[in-house]
Amino acid sequence: MGLLSTFGRPRPVTVPTDRVVHLRYWDDLHYLRSLCHDFTFRFDDVLDASKLEAALDRLMEIGDWGQLGARLRLNDNGKLEYHIPAEYDKSTRPAFGFTTAEYGISINEHPLGARLPTTGQDQSVLSPSCAEFAPLVRHEDSPRELADWIYSDRPQLHVHVAVFEDATLLTVSYLHTLFDAVARTNFFKAWIAVLEGREEEVPPFVPFDQDPLCQLGKEVARENYTHFGRLVAGLSLVLFGLRYLFELLWFRKEEEHPIRVPGHCVERMRETAQQELAAATPEGAEVPFLSEPDVVSAWWVKTMVTALNPAPSRTVMVMSPFNVWGLFKESFPAGAKGFIGNAFFNSYTVHKAGEVLEDNNLAHLACKNRQALVEHRTKEQVQAMTAIQRQSFMQFPPLVGDSNLLFMTHTNQHKARYFETDFSAAVVATGVPLTERPHALGRPSYINDIEHCRLYPTRNVCRVIGKDAAGDWWLLFKTRSEAWPSIHRQLATLLGIDQAEARDVPNAVDQVAITHNGSSPAKMYSEARGMLLQIRLLWRLLV
C-alpha cells in the first residue's frame, strides 16, 4: 500500500491501557521512516521454528524487552509514538508476528531457493537481486512500509521461518526506526541467550522512554564541524537536488546485486596497499595500518566511479555511517548491549573523480577513508554534525563538497558479525554435512537483506554485510542498471576469471537485467507513482 492510498484512512483507536511513549529523537527521522528491511539468515541446517518462537516469546517477558512489541502510531503533530500494551495475547495482540512455511523438499528443488547465493559461489554470472527472493523469505502479510504499521495494530517485528528438508531461512521484517545494523545484533544476541537457556545473560533493555543521545547537537556551534565551510547549502543544495533529480529521471532503472569478494583477493589487495604505504613512508615513521574493510571500501569506490564514469573534475562524496556507542558510553547507563534503536552518524570522504580513477591508488583511497573516519569519530565532531542535522530540513544528514557532487554511501556492517550469529540451539537436523562446508552448525551461510524504500533514494549505496566463515566478503551494490556491465567486468578482473568468460559478462548482466526489469503495466504504474513521490520530496527539500 502506498502513501497515496492511505489518505483518509482511519488510524487505530488508542487502547486506554497502552503506555504512550514518543520515539527517541534520532529514531524518528524522516528517512528512517522510509526504509523497511527483510533481513534473512540462510542456514544449511533444519531449525525448529517452535523453539525459535518460544524463545522469542520468553524474551518478551524478561525485564523491559516486552517493549519490542510496542505498536507504532502517528500522532496529530506528525510525530511517531510507541503504544506499549500492558499485556500481550497471542491470538488478539501478540508481542510479535510469527509465521512459518514448511516445504518438505530440498531447498535446491525450490525454483527460488535453488537460486539463492551460497558460500563460494561462482561470480562469473551476477547473483539475482535480494528482492527477487521476497516470495520465499517473506510471508504474504509481512510489512514493507510505514503505513503497514501506523494503520494497523501490528507489532514492531515480524518473523518468518521457511523450513526445507536441508535448510532454513529465518527472516526478520522491521522498520528502520526500530533499530540500526548494530542494534539488530543486540536483538539477535538476546534472543539466542534465551534460546540457549542463558537468561541471566540477557542485558537490561534500555526503555524507549530513555533517550541516551537526546542532547546531541543541542547548544553546540555548527561552525565547529571540520568541514563546515564545504557544506552544500542554499543555492548549491538546490543545484545538487536538480542534478540528482535529473539522474533519477534519465537513468530510471536501478539494480542491486549481492557481490562475493573472495578473502584471498581482499588480502592480496591489502598486502599490496600496505607495501605501497611502507615504500612511501619516510624512514623511522610509522606505516599507516589498513584493515580489510578499509580495502574493501576503497575497491568499491574505485569500482563504482569507474562504472559511473563522471568527469575527472567532478567531486565524489562518500558518506560512511559509524556507531557512536563507544564515544558516549556514559549516556547508556543500562549498557549498550541492551540498546534497541539508532545510534549512527556519518563520516565524509571527498575526492575528485580523476583522483579515484588513477591507476594503483587503492592504498591512497583506503588511507583517505580511514583518516576521514578517525577525524569524524570524536565527540566534538559528532556534536557539531548533529547540530547541523537538527537544523536541516527534515533532519537529513549534511552533504559535503559542492553542488555537482556524486553522492555515494558506504555502510560497513561487518562489526555486527552477522555471520557469527549462532542459532545452533534450535537445530534439529544437519543439512549440508559439516565436513563439506566452512561454517559451523547453526551459523548462516548467506544473508539476504531486502531494503524497501519509500520516497528516500538509496542509489549508489554499498552495504558491506560482512565476512563469512570461508573468509569471503559479501557486499550489496545498488546503482543504475547501465553501470552493471562495468561493475561485473571489474569484478571478473579482480577474480581472475578467464578472459573468454569475462567477454561474456555483458550478456550475463543483460540476462539478469531482463529478469529484473521486465515491466508489466502495474509495475510501470508503480514506478511512475514512486518517481512522482520522489520529485515531491525533493521539491519540498529544495524550496
Side-chain angles (χ1 to χ4, degrees), residues 464-532:
V464 180
I465 300 300
K467 183 178 181 180
D468 68 16
D472 299 337
W473 289 81
W474 288 91
L475 298 77
L476 289 174
F477 281 22
K478 180 187 286 187
T479 189
R480 60 170 105 132
S481 298
E482 293 81 357
W484 274 100
S486 174
I487 292 172
H488 202 201
R489 280 193 295 269
Q490 294 177 75
L491 177 63
T493 299
L494 177 67
L495 301 180
I497 293 176
D498 182 81
Q499 289 303 306
E501 293 183 55
R503 283 195 296 271
D504 292 335
V505 164
N507 294 330
V509 176
D510 289 343
Q511 291 171 7
V512 174
I514 289 170
T515 300
H516 291 188
N517 296 319
S519 294
S520 64
K523 183 177 180 181
M524 292 174 66
Y525 169 76
S526 177
E527 290 176 349
R529 185 178 66 177
M531 184 61 65
L532 288 172

Side-chain angles (χ1 to χ4, degrees), residues 355-422:
E355 169 194 359
V356 176
L357 296 175
E358 291 176 2
D359 292 333
N360 303 318
N361 65 341
L362 206 65
H364 169 71
L365 297 177
C367 268
K368 195 168 181 180
N369 178 71
R370 174 172 276 270
Q371 289 167 359
L373 185 59
V374 170
E375 182 181 55
H376 285 85
R377 198 165 52 187
T378 67
K379 284 187 175 183
E380 293 73 22
Q381 287 303 298
V382 170
Q383 290 279 12
M385 284 189 293
T386 51
I388 295 168
Q389 190 168 346
R390 279 182 180 274
Q391 297 177 39
S392 70
F393 182 71
M394 292 193 293
Q395 292 78 49
F396 279 117
L399 299 178
V400 178
D402 55 51
S403 63
N404 195 31
L405 67 84
L406 173 60
F407 178 84
M408 298 170 63
T409 301
H410 172 271
T411 173
N412 177 19
Q413 301 179 13
H414 175 58
K415 286 189 175 181
R417 297 295 195 273
Y418 294 128
F419 283 101
E420 298 174 21
T421 309
D422 183 1

Side-chain angles (χ1 to χ4, degrees), residues 215-234:
Q215 296 301 314
L216 286 186
K218 289 186 176 181
E219 300 179 1
V220 176
R222 301 163 69 245
E223 293 76 9
N224 291 344
Y225 178 49
T226 185
H227 294 305
F228 183 77
R230 299 196 66 184
L231 291 178
V232 181

Side-chain angles (χ1 to χ4, degrees), residues 429-446:
T430 303
V432 177
L434 295 175
T435 56
E436 298 177 11
R437 68 192 202 190
H439 46 285
L441 188 76
R443 298 203 180 192
S445 60
Y446 169 70

Side-chain angles (χ1 to χ4, degrees), residues 85-274:
E87 59 182 15
Y88 297 107
D89 183 279
K90 286 187 178 181
S91 59
T92 57
R93 295 194 86 193
F96 53 90
F98 197 96
T99 53
T100 59
E102 298 270 354
Y103 287 93
I105 57 175
S106 166
I107 193 169
N108 293 321
E109 296 178 83
H110 188 282
L112 275 179
R115 301 181 67 205
L116 276 167
T118 58
T119 301
Q121 176 173 311
D122 173 29
Q123 290 272 218
S124 61
V125 177
L126 283 175
S127 300
S129 164
C130 290
E132 283 201 22
F133 300 108
L136 178 62
V137 301
R138 289 170 47 84
H139 185 266
E140 59 183 11
D141 190 44
S142 296
R144 68 173 70 234
E145 61 178 322
L146 175 66
D148 292 334
W149 278 278
I150 63 175
Y151 293 106
S152 71
D153 196 48
R154 181 189 299 276
Q156 288 289 284
L157 295 169
H158 187 107
V159 178
H160 182 66
V161 183
V163 182
F164 295 87
E165 291 181 340
D166 53 1
T168 305
L169 304 176
L170 170 60
T171 301
V172 178
S173 301
Y174 65 94
L175 193 68
H176 206 326
T177 55
L178 180 61
F179 44 46
D180 59 25
V182 181
R184 184 165 57 193
T185 292
N186 285 351
F187 164 66
F188 288 133
K189 287 182 176 179
W191 185 3
I192 290 170
V194 177
L195 186 65
E196 295 180 345
R198 298 181 288 107
E199 291 188 12
E200 70 283 357
E201 296 182 25
V202 174
F205 183 91
V206 179
F208 285 138
D209 60 0
Q210 293 182 19
D211 191 348
L213 303 176
C214 63
Q215 296 301 314
L216 286 186
K218 289 186 176 181
E219 300 179 1
V220 176
R222 301 163 69 245
E223 293 76 9
N224 291 344
Y225 178 49
T226 185
H227 294 305
F228 183 77
R230 299 196 66 184
L231 291 178
V232 181
L235 179 60
S236 293
L237 183 60
V238 172
L239 293 174
F240 165 77
L242 292 174
R243 287 180 171 123
Y244 194 80
L245 181 59
F246 176 80
E247 155 81 14
L248 296 177
L249 292 172
W250 190 258
F251 301 103
R252 288 187 54 219
K253 293 182 179 179
E254 63 184 21
E255 296 179 32
E256 182 177 55
H257 295 280
I259 297 292
R260 181 186 66 86
V261 182
H264 67 85
C265 293
V266 175
E267 182 57 27
R268 183 177 68 238
M269 288 191 292
R270 195 190 73 82
E271 289 177 353
T272 301
Q274 286 285 184

